[in-house]
Amino acid sequence: MSEVFLKLDNIKKSFGGVHALKGVNLEVKLGEVHCLAGENGCGKSTLIKVISGVHDPTSGDIYIEGKKITKLTPIEAIKMGIQVIYQDFAIFPNLTVAENIAMNNALMTGTKTMNWKKARKIALEAMSRIGVSIDPDLLVERLSVANKQIVAICRAIINDAKMVILDEPTTALTSKEVDRLNEIIFNLRDKNIAVVIVNHKLDEIYQVAKQLTILRNGENVATGGIEEFDRGRFINCLTGRDIQEDFYRPEPSDQEVLKVENYTKKGMFENISFTLNKGDVLGITGLLGSGRSEIGDALFGLIAVESGNITLNDNPITINSIQEAIKNKIAYVPEDRLTQGLFLKRSIEDNTIAASIGKYLKNFKLDQHAMTEVTNMWIKKIGCVAASSQVPINTLSGGNAQKIVIAKWLNTNPSLIILNGPTVGVDIGAKADIHKILHDLAAEGVGVIVISDDLSEIIQNCNKIIVMEDGKIISNTDSSELDEEKLAKLLTGTVMAEGGVANE
């Protein structure tokens, strides 16, 4: 029987009058992959910071390898074998792979100068332990997200790590990169290291985890073996509600909303043609570099195309700039909401009216009452959880922030809305809410295009699916002819959907 490495008993943590943790229990064994799941704001991050010594619990007991710990600091946690890899990886982009990996060793030994020969040796040894190979002399800024994550993992294990915590490790990874990460996790498990994964994607959890603990509102909701949780129970425990994961299949309509003909931008995409009718939700997917995102950028005027035609609601239009796109009632929810979709330090209200501010300018003055009123209307309509319309957008969870990005564009009354990665980093409850918004828009006659590499999202929420490869459409078919397995194979060119185009 595996030895218990970490035990938390009735952990509570309060910040002023806010009770972030309300008596959480957790037990993690060596050589075990344990998933910690919960929606944004459930207390996962606070719990990780208690485990890593960043926060002192208000009450409750922490046991590490059977020993009660009365005071835990970040340095003491590392010395005891606890390593946390956060979503930003906390790596130095201007340093080499070797320097980044050796950094923890230098910290623990008190070394004040960098021995590059020793750093290189440490890095190579760490990489060999988990079966990966990256040039140790490369600057980290040149690495992919997946390889940056590997550098962070290597850095974590060089000081005899006994437990590694991975915070939302698959958020920015492709399916192939997720598979590679899983192999590394299994490697750590086989070396008797405890692995805690913070994740709310059940499909990914099933692939690696043995145990599952779910938090909601700072409390334990359920814990047990992964086999005890089917999808229905998992979603109910996570959200506190039953969410039906129905497949979106609208009533057929001959009313054309959008027609794209032979859209071409050399080096990005070529001869892209498709139509979108009232009620349709069109999914565009493909591997990285396939041209899927560039199509969205072009339709919003971020990229100037060289040839092709667009017809929107029977009107031929030309899009050469963002201004022209907005003038023609085209909206675009970008892939990176933090840098492209939001003004993080501004209020919810400022963000909501940012794309439609001209509507509230009267006699050279902004109608503050009208702006507040419309923001409160959207907060209620899209189900955003916020204390008021005046709180900074960076205080919201990922799902609520994404809802505000969508509300910003819905407030422009768009004829076409394009969403690139609409639910990346969003929990299950918010994800279902966003999908419902898109379905309602399509039913109202708004053209909806979803660009995503989340295959379940595409299959369940899009009735038409385009698959891209090397800038070309290799399949354009009805989603009823596909399932996730067929779509995954289609992406790799091993199968052809009926009605699609064969990959040469």
Side-chain angles (χ1 to χ4, degrees):
M1 191 172 179
S2 299
E3 178 187 348
V4 174
F5 174 75
L6 173 73
K7 183 179 179 182
L8 304 181
D9 186 16
N10 199 30
I11 296 294
K12 297 180 181 180
K13 179 63 181 177
S14 299
F15 300 94
V18 178
H19 303 292
L21 299 175
K22 307 170 186 176
V24 172
N25 300 309
L26 179 67
E27 187 174 283
V28 182
K29 297 177 180 178
L30 292 171
E32 173 183 270
V33 181
H34 195 122
C35 178
L36 181 64
E39 293 198 288
N40 293 323
C42 72
K44 301 190 303 288
S45 296
T46 303
L47 188 65
I48 290 171
K49 289 177 180 177
V50 168
I51 295 170
S52 60
V54 175
H55 291 327
D56 290 325
T58 304
S59 63
D61 298 317
I62 301 173
Y63 298 87
I64 297 177
E65 295 186 295
K67 179 183 177 183
K68 185 176 178 179
I69 308 299
T70 55
K71 176 68 176 176
L72 188 64
T73 65
I75 290 294
E76 284 301 313
I78 292 171
K79 287 180 178 177
M80 291 179 181
I82 297 172
Q83 292 281 348
V84 182
I85 300 171
Y86 294 100
Q87 290 183 56
D88 62 1
F89 310 140
I91 51 181
F92 301 92
N94 59 328
L95 298 182
T96 67
V97 169
E99 289 167 336
N100 270 276
I101 292 175
M103 190 65 68
N104 269 15
N105 184 266
L107 179 68
M108 296 304 295
T109 58
T111 304
K112 294 182 179 179
T113 58
M114 179 62 69
N115 182 324
W116 281 277
K117 185 177 179 180
K118 183 179 179 182
R120 207 170 185 278
K121 182 182 178 184
I122 289 171
L124 290 171
E125 287 177 354
M127 286 189 278
S128 69
R129 285 181 63 186
I130 59 172
V132 298
S133 178
I134 303 172
D135 184 349
D137 300 319
L138 272 179
L139 289 177
V140 164
E141 65 186 9
R142 295 176 57 189
L143 300 181
S144 66
V145 172
N147 282 339
K148 286 176 182 176
Q149 189 174 66
I150 287 170
V151 169
I153 292 171
C154 288
R155 185 181 60 190
I157 65 172
I158 60 171
N159 289 309
D160 298 321
K162 295 180 180 178
M163 182 172 79
V164 176
I165 301 174
L166 299 167
D167 187 15
E168 300 282 2
T170 64
T171 297
L173 302 187
T174 65
S175 57
K176 284 186 177 180
E177 290 168 342
V178 171
D179 291 340
R180 187 185 187 199
L181 175 64
N182 289 347
E183 290 176 8
I184 293 170
I185 290 170
F186 293 142
N187 200 313
L188 295 174
R189 177 201 64 189
D190 294 344
K191 288 179 168 53
N192 208 36
I193 295 173
V195 181
V196 176
I197 300 175
V198 179
N199 200 337
H200 52 248
K201 300 176 183 177
L202 187 59
D203 293 339
E204 294 179 357
I205 294 168
Y206 264 113
Q207 293 174 20
V208 292
K210 181 180 179 182
Q211 291 290 118
L212 173 63
T213 294
I214 300 176
L215 302 183
R216 190 170 72 240
N217 298 325
E219 299 177 284
N220 288 89
V221 175
T223 190
I226 192 69
E227 70 280 354
E228 298 174 28
F229 296 84
D230 60 17
R231 195 167 190 85
R233 185 189 177 202
F234 176 78
I235 292 173
N236 182 271
C237 290
L238 204 72
T239 65
R241 54 185 171 138
D242 292 320
I243 296 175
Q244 298 298 319
E245 294 188 301
D246 296 327
F247 290 84
Y248 179 68
R249 300 291 182 263
E251 291 293 324
S253 171
D254 294 329
Q255 183 182 336
E256 190 176 272
V257 176
L258 175 71
K259 186 175 185 179
V260 175
E261 298 174 284
N262 301 316
Y263 233 41
T264 297
K265 174 66 175 178
K266 291 287 176 61
M268 293 185 180
F269 50 82
E270 189 175 345
N271 295 326
I272 302 301
S273 298
F274 59 85
T275 58
L276 194 62
N277 290 350
K278 179 181 178 180
D280 285 340
V281 176
L282 172 68
I284 302 179
T285 190
L287 301 177
L288 284 176
S290 64
R292 66 176 195 230
S293 293
E294 287 79 2
I295 290 175
D297 290 347
L299 289 172
F300 191 61
L302 290 166
I303 295 172
V305 298
E306 292 155 357
S307 61
N309 302 305
I310 306 177
T311 304
L312 186 60
N313 289 325
D314 297 324
N315 297 312
I317 62 172
T318 301
I319 305 295
N320 289 316
S321 67
I322 295 172
Q323 290 73 24
E324 285 183 340
I326 293 174
K327 182 181 176 182
N328 285 288
K329 292 190 172 294
I330 297 175
Y332 188 43
V333 176
E335 188 172 20
D336 187 349
R337 64 175 169 269
L338 297 182
T339 60
Q340 297 175 302
L342 296 168
F343 301 101
L344 292 175
K345 294 183 180 180
R346 306 291 301 205
S347 68
I348 293 174
E349 180 177 301
D350 289 346
N351 277 275
T352 302
I353 56 91
S356 54
I357 195 167
K359 293 199 294 187
Y360 307 98
L361 192 61
K362 297 179 180 178
N363 299 321
F364 304 102
K365 292 180 69 176
L366 288 171
D367 187 338
Q368 190 63 52
H369 175 74
M371 292 191 300
T372 301
E373 195 172 60
V374 78
T375 301
N376 287 332
M377 181 274 290
W378 281 118
I379 287 173
K380 183 177 180 181
K381 188 170 183 177
I382 64 176
C384 175
V385 179
S388 81
S389 63
Q390 304 305 315
V391 300
I393 200 82
N394 59 8
T395 64
L396 300 185
S397 69
N400 286 311
Q402 185 72 336
K403 288 178 182 180
I404 295 300
V405 179
I406 295 171
K408 174 180 75 175
W409 287 111
L410 294 187
N411 202 45
T412 66
N413 300 312
S415 296
L416 171 67
I417 185 167
I418 305 154
L419 304 100
N420 195 350
T423 59
V424 171
V426 169
D427 58 49
I428 287 175
K431 196 172 186 176
D433 293 340
I434 289 170
H435 291 158
K436 177 66 165 56
I437 292 168
L438 303 186
H439 300 163
D440 289 345
L441 287 171
E444 292 165 8
V446 177
V448 180
I449 298 176
V450 174
I451 302 169
S452 177
D453 63 358
D454 184 337
L455 301 190
S456 62
E457 176 170 65
I458 290 287
I459 288 288
Q460 290 178 14
N461 295 283
C462 305
N463 62 303
K464 291 182 176 179
I465 298 175
I466 284 175
V467 180
M468 299 284 300
E469 183 181 284
D470 295 330
K472 297 179 181 179
I473 293 177
I474 63 167
S475 175
N476 186 351
T477 190
D478 191 285
S479 61
S480 62
E481 299 173 12
L482 296 170
D483 57 25
E484 280 190 56
E485 184 179 356
K486 286 181 181 178
L487 184 55
K489 288 179 178 177
L490 188 59
L491 287 175
T492 62
T494 57
V495 73
M496 184 183 73
E498 190 173 330
V501 181
N503 182 24
E504 296 180 356

